[in-house]
Amino acid sequence: MSSKYTHFEGIKFPSTCSTKSLKFCRDEFVVKNDDVIVVTYPKSGTHWVIETLSLIQCKGDSTWVQSTPIWERLPWIEIEAFQHLICTKEENQTRFYTSHLPIQLFPKSYFHSKAKIIYVMRNPRDVVVSLYHFTKVFKLLERIDNFSEMLEMFSQGNVPYGSWFDHVCGWLSLRENDNFLILTYEELLHDMRRNVDKICHFLGTKLKEEEINLVIKNASFSVMKDNKMSNHSIIPDYWMDHSQGNIMRKGIAGDWKNYFTVAQSEAFDHLFQDRMSKLDPNLFLWDQC
Ligand code: A3P
């Protein structure tokens, strides 16, 4: 059922991205120096970081996150229906937005700008489990009912937004840049306070102790799960099968152990070592958080 997807430059995308919107994004979209962009491979904690950034902008006050859909707060640049939200933002306002794009399809203008990127990574084993469930919920994706099949497709990069390995290797090439902050899902789970501090420092924002406490509380899994502006429950039935759950599924690290067989785990370890051998293993300390 690959007809569900838009194919562009050898990668498949959900049909919310058109060839036109992907070309516009790469070739014409103008990134500004003050822009702040959340970049992730799908299912890596994107919504969590968007919620956190939204709350940091409001000093922890939840009025905005409880009243405005998450995709209007930090719209995805590659999604055609959202591009105008970013392009029409008033001149004097810092623009915050999101992208799942691999580096080679990201706006070219970014690479001559001082815009800040927050890149969020997650253990790919948990990413594939999260994606497996999401294919049952989000009707724009090809539904995969067999986990082995999902893992095979993921390992080959035959999934929306392409290979996790290519995405991470591509983006981590910017890791020494001052305007590039790396977060991991596992670190957020382990010590959210430290990470909120890190984000505030990166953005040059100062929050009081009680404001940080509010950010942490209002971006927690339990609060986000009940926030209809963030949990996808307001997305119409023709896009989401709400009987299968929503984006807020489990919110834990290590769920992959309930899905991978020993043989799958060993094969994936080999693949990981093979594909990521050029990068410092200290970048991927998922299990130590
Ligand atoms: P699971 O499916 O493993 O539960 P993304 O936003 O990139 O699509 O990622 C979705 C994943 O992030 C889901 O993982 C979801 O539960 C998790 N998530 C979202 N908000 C979270 C939060 N506040 N705390 C922990 N996990 C969260």
Side-chain angles (χ1 to χ4, degrees), residues 40-48 100 122 126 130 185 189 219-221 224 247-252:
T40 67
Y41 187 84
K43 314 317 294 172
S44 300
T46 324
H47 289 69
W48 191 5
H100 287 320
R122 184 181 192 187
D126 281 328
S130 185
Y185 181 89
L189 275 179
S220 66
F221 186 82
M224 278 186 71
I247 189 124
M248 307 296 299
R249 192 183 62 92
K250 280 197 178 170
I252 60 170

Side-chain angles (χ1 to χ4, degrees), residues 50-289:
I50 294 178
E51 200 83 339
T52 304
L53 280 179
S54 306
L55 287 159
I56 288 174
Q57 288 178 73
C58 300
K59 299 181 186 296
D61 183 296
S62 64
T63 311
W64 191 41
V65 301
Q66 296 283 348
S67 59
T68 305
I70 198 158
W71 52 86
E72 285 183 23
R73 285 185 261 124
L74 271 85
W76 275 250
I77 29 171
E78 61 270 21
I79 296 185
E80 187 153 16
F82 298 160
Q83 285 175 337
H84 74 282
L85 294 172
I86 306 165
C87 296
T88 57
K89 189 126 187 184
E90 282 170 29
E91 277 295 316
N92 56 352
Q93 284 182 307
T94 301
R95 303 187 307 178
F96 286 77
Y97 47 91
T98 306
S99 180
H100 287 320
L101 287 172
I103 194 165
Q104 71 276 15
L105 299 182
F106 203 66
K108 288 177 182 159
S109 55
Y110 163 74
F111 300 95
H112 309 286
S113 80
K114 295 181 182 148
K116 293 180 176 170
I117 285 188
I118 300 178
Y119 187 68
V120 190
M121 283 194 297
R122 184 181 192 187
N123 185 338
R125 298 163 188 83
D126 281 328
V127 169
V128 65
V129 170
S130 185
L131 179 61
Y132 171 59
H133 287 282
F134 198 55
T135 70
K136 302 176 203 306
V137 179
F138 194 43
K139 294 181 184 171
L140 293 185
L141 303 181
E142 178 191 357
R143 182 182 167 125
I144 308 292
D145 285 312
N146 176 310
F147 182 72
S148 297
E149 191 189 336
M150 179 84 249
L151 184 57
E152 188 58 30
M153 290 170 78
F154 184 83
S155 300
Q156 291 172 2
N158 183 20
V159 283
Y161 289 93
S163 157
W164 180 92
F165 300 100
D166 292 346
H167 202 280
V168 170
C169 286
W171 281 108
L172 288 191
S173 66
L174 304 184
R175 67 189 177 282
E176 303 297 340
N177 295 1
D178 290 343
N179 57 348
F180 191 79
L181 175 69
I182 302 173
L183 302 177
T184 71
Y185 181 89
E186 292 74 15
E187 280 171 2
L188 291 169
L189 275 179
H190 177 67
D191 192 344
M192 185 59 173
R193 179 170 304 271
R194 186 162 162 264
N195 283 282
V196 172
D197 281 344
K198 236 192 227 183
I199 298 171
C200 287
H201 183 258
F202 182 65
L203 299 180
T205 305
K206 281 206 162 51
L207 292 190
K208 297 186 187 123
E209 192 62 23
E210 61 269 25
E211 293 168 342
I212 293 180
N213 289 341
L214 277 176
V215 171
I216 295 170
K217 179 175 144 250
N218 289 323
S220 66
F221 186 82
S222 56
V223 173
M224 278 186 71
K225 196 171 171 57
D226 289 337
N227 180 1
K228 61 181 191 310
M229 294 298 156
S230 307
N231 67 13
H232 284 189
S233 59
I234 59 171
I235 294 182
D237 290 346
Y238 55 83
W239 277 352
M240 302 278 295
D241 182 350
H242 294 287
S243 69
Q244 299 288 323
N246 61 36
I247 189 124
M248 307 296 299
R249 192 183 62 92
K250 280 197 178 170
I252 60 170
D255 196 28
W256 66 272
K257 292 172 191 158
N258 297 316
Y259 290 84
F260 282 58
T261 63
V262 172
Q264 285 170 338
S265 174
E266 285 173 4
F268 195 85
D269 286 351
H270 282 126
L271 178 65
F272 190 95
Q273 275 155 21
D274 188 41
R275 294 297 312 272
M276 309 308 266
S277 60
K278 294 203 176 83
L279 289 168
D280 179 354
N282 289 322
L283 288 162
F284 311 113
L285 298 177
W286 334 105
D287 295 330
Q288 295 183 19
C289 284

